[in-house]
Amino acid sequence: MPAFFDTSIEFLKGVGPQKAALIGKEMGLFTYGDLIQHYPFRYEDRTQFHTIESVHADMPFVQIKGRITKMETVGEGRKKRLVARFEDDTQAMELVWFKGIQWVVKKLKLGVDYVAFGKPAVFGRKVNIAHPEIEILTTQNNKAGFLQPVYHTSEKMKAKFIDSKAISKMIRQVIVQAEGHIYETLPENLLQQFSLIEKKYALWHIHFPSNQELLQKAQFRLKFEEFFFIQLKLLKMKVTRIDKFKGQVFNDSSLLTEFYNQHLPFDLTNAQKRVIREIYQDMKSGKQMNRLLQGDVGSGKTIVAFICMLLVVSSGAQASMMAPTEILADQHYEGLKEYADLLGIKIAKLTGSSKTAERRVIHEALEDGSLQILVGTHALIEDKVQFKNLGLAIIDEQHRFGVAQRAKLWKKNATQFPHILVMTATPIPRTLAMTVYGDLDVSIIDELPAGRKPIQTIHEYDGKRLSVFGFMKKEIAKGRQIYVVYPLIEESEKLELKDLMDGYESIARAFPDNHISIVHGKMKPQDKDFEMQRFVKHETQIMVATTVIEVGVNVPNASVMVIENAERFGLAQLHQLRGRVGRGADQSYCVLMTDYKLSKEARIRIDTMVKTNNGFEIADVDLRLRGPGDITGTQQSGVLDLLIADISKDTKLLQAARNAASDILEADPELSADQNRNILRHINSLKKTAVNWGRIS
Ligand code: ADP
Ligand code: MG
């Protein structure tokens, strides 16, 4: 006998094996448990009946009682429609159908009392309702006073008459039978503290709310619960990891001291120092480190990474740094090699384009331990790559890597997990970080190196191009360099290249005295590199490029970033691009060029960029505009598959749930106290069905 909620939905009245299979295939709903958690995505207001006299076109959906007194088909061909005169004691109005006319004609009867529900609209000065829902008036639906749940279905399901109403009926059956099977999952004291309604009532009112207030209570309770258990899981994972997984102890600071005293190219910011201390503390502690390092573009994460590697290398272990793109891996390699050479540390680069012979040498040197630092792309998590003793694995620009890839790094050291440092330049809103990286410790570099002037961002319409050119000329005259970036258009590489080439030509015409570089994704790596190097060496003054320069490139003398068709870029990307300038001591500028016509969202993006340089603020707006999955690229991580809560909107609730979970774990880490028995029972029941209570990195 399966537990009640594991019962297959085929046993519900009116379902059966065929429909059950269809619902499973279309919606992923197989059991009573699945069904009861298939929450409505909206509700229709059936809390009151309106008189026909009072109905007007500005109203949202309305519910009216009346009788059909006349029905006729009018018009021909595509204009053919069925018009019914619908009357109550106050007035008459028209109900109209354009489709399924025959079926409706058969179904509707004159002189019978009906309930009609739909959106009023104006048609030829009169108010009517097109394609209303219409049912014979019964004692059931004559009760005004409930919100009608609306459920997601699919076209294939509707073709088999499994519409929202049918799903609602199925859920009602389950809930009625579920009496006695729905356990409370939260402890009494939490229910009281947060005024949460009990689980069984919450489930009832989420599906069948009789008014807004109860619906809100149900939503609040279920959202809280959803956040609470995710946070409890993440926090518990963290506690377990800290308790169980020993980390290698690294406490030999000799290389650090040498680097600090002899080679450090600039003073570290206080934020950099603080973060290095936090990381050192972790790596000395004997516990395995799992830390997220957030720092805005240009905040100087690379040198922090290098200094952390030194602690590991001093002790004879190895370190790796993984970047999302080849260009970025190249740049990290170049940057780190400069430092490493000063100290006589062996460093190599491994990417997709490394030759077989090179790879062989690298593999061997990794295995015998003579290679101390490896920089690369995904290529370095391939199975063939084995380290003698990987002590620290660093991942840059984490948002481009999935959880699975993080997990692979865990296994790169045969005997002990390496310490993990995840670096991200796109600040992640706190709520999102709490959810996606809720099991990591977080360090933040919240300070830019001294002497940087905030970048000025300006929005210009395409018509102002000549004056923008004039501005560029002035900056070049001051000895500065300029990026001009064109969007990458995925649907049409040809078009993209044409935009870029047209732009290049018009710039070449407007700047006859200057040298201009051009870089795009279709070029051979060595050509790209050649052009980049020309720009780095200041042989060219203008770099015309697609977004290939988005991440990482570092030319401190470049002080102007012109972004063409800026309305086509997302916020995170605009912020990244802007981060390419403002790296030197000069005043830098970012010019966002757009069309005159801007969508509402594009306008918000542009305004946000003009208003602030703060990556966290930008990330918050981005989260609101795009939703969480798109931002992190971590939909697959599972923690974002929320049934009801929304991390971009329910921010306070998330924080409250996390605090509650943290307090409970602190007082009772094993959840063995009597007052936490509801929690433990729920977790155990989840463990049986779901695999995701296990460890993710
Ligand atoms: P990001 O955090 O975006 O990866 P980088 O590590 O590329 O930033 O650093 C950006 C630039 O700032 C580099 O040229 C780097 O050498 C320089 N930099 C880093 N830290 C400092 C500092 N404390 N003082 C001055 N310049 C610094
Ligand atoms: Mg960087």
Side-chain angles (χ1 to χ4, degrees), residues 265-269 272 295-304 331-332 339 396-397 423 425 445 448-450 452 552-554 556 579-580 583:
F266 35 66
D267 290 336
L268 295 178
T269 61
Q272 284 172 315
D296 216 337
V297 222
S299 62
K301 291 183 295 296
T302 317
I303 191 132
V304 169
Q331 185 140 21
H332 277 319
Y339 301 143
D396 195 20
E397 313 288 346
M423 305 201 297
I445 308 185
L448 293 180
R452 299 257 178 91
V553 285
N554 189 15
R580 296 307 107 210
R583 303 186 150 236

Side-chain angles (χ1 to χ4, degrees), residues 54-73:
S54 70
V55 169
H56 54 85
D58 298 334
M59 293 165 95
F61 287 79
V62 294
Q63 175 169 248
I64 38 186
K65 280 189 263 191
R67 292 158 304 280
I68 294 169
T69 49
K70 191 176 156 197
M71 255 193 294
E72 60 181 340
T73 314

Side-chain angles (χ1 to χ4, degrees), residues 6 71 93 125 167 180 356-357 393 419 456 537 613 619 653 693:
D6 296 335
M71 255 193 294
M93 75 186 298
R125 292 242 198 105
I167 291 181
T356 320
H419 295 290
Q456 279 183 30
K537 290 187 207 138
N613 278 310
L653 194 56
W693 185 261

Side-chain angles (χ1 to χ4, degrees), residues 250-265 268 272-273 275-277 279-281 283-284 303-315 339 343 345:
F250 295 118
N251 51 19
D252 178 347
S253 331
S254 52
L255 281 172
L256 168 78
T257 314
E258 185 183 341
F259 185 69
Y260 222 93
N261 293 341
Q262 297 173 31
H263 307 295
L264 195 64
L268 295 178
Q272 284 172 315
K273 287 184 202 161
V275 164
I276 291 169
R277 268 199 304 275
I279 295 169
Y280 267 48
Q281 215 113 62
M283 293 203 292
K284 283 177 183 175
I303 191 132
V304 169
F306 180 73
I307 290 175
C308 296
M309 289 174 163
L310 288 183
L311 190 61
V312 171
V313 173
S314 289
S315 310
Y339 301 143
L343 296 168
I345 294 173

Side-chain angles (χ1 to χ4, degrees), residues 160-308:
K160 299 279 181 220
F161 305 104
I162 312 169
D163 57 6
S164 175
K165 281 250 171 74
I167 291 181
S168 173
K169 277 188 190 145
M170 289 159 59
I171 292 174
R172 193 178 279 266
Q173 280 187 62
V174 172
I175 287 208
V176 169
Q177 292 178 42
E179 180 72 50
H181 294 282
I182 302 174
Y183 292 111
E184 182 50 61
T185 58
L186 295 172
E188 186 59 34
N189 56 341
L190 275 192
L191 297 185
Q192 278 182 8
Q193 188 186 343
F194 292 97
S195 310
L196 303 171
I197 60 172
E198 277 178 52
K199 174 83 177 224
K200 59 180 182 212
Y201 298 125
L203 283 176
W204 178 267
H205 294 304
I206 200 76
H207 291 292
F208 309 108
S210 41
N211 59 48
Q212 283 294 345
E213 194 195 338
L214 280 170
L215 173 60
Q216 268 156 23
K217 283 192 170 154
Q219 286 170 329
F220 185 77
R221 144 82 213 212
L222 293 171
K223 285 176 178 186
F224 183 93
E225 172 179 351
E226 186 163 41
F227 279 147
F228 176 81
F229 280 100
I230 290 172
Q231 292 303 324
L232 194 71
K233 170 169 130 180
L234 290 166
L235 292 167
K236 183 116 175 78
M237 260 159 40
K238 188 165 148 185
V239 174
T240 310
R241 190 189 72 233
I242 293 171
D243 283 353
K244 291 226 179 99
F245 300 119
K246 282 220 195 70
Q248 303 194 62
V249 177
F250 295 118
N251 51 19
D252 178 347
S253 331
S254 52
L255 281 172
L256 168 78
T257 314
E258 185 183 341
F259 185 69
Y260 222 93
N261 293 341
Q262 297 173 31
H263 307 295
L264 195 64
F266 35 66
D267 290 336
L268 295 178
T269 61
N270 286 328
Q272 284 172 315
K273 287 184 202 161
R274 188 190 63 238
V275 164
I276 291 169
R277 268 199 304 275
E278 285 167 0
I279 295 169
Y280 267 48
Q281 215 113 62
D282 276 4
M283 293 203 292
K284 283 177 183 175
S285 69
K287 314 268 185 194
Q288 192 258 346
M289 174 175 79
N290 225 356
R291 189 171 277 278
L292 175 70
L293 171 57
Q294 291 203 55
D296 216 337
V297 222
S299 62
K301 291 183 295 296
T302 317
I303 191 132
V304 169
F306 180 73
I307 290 175
C308 296

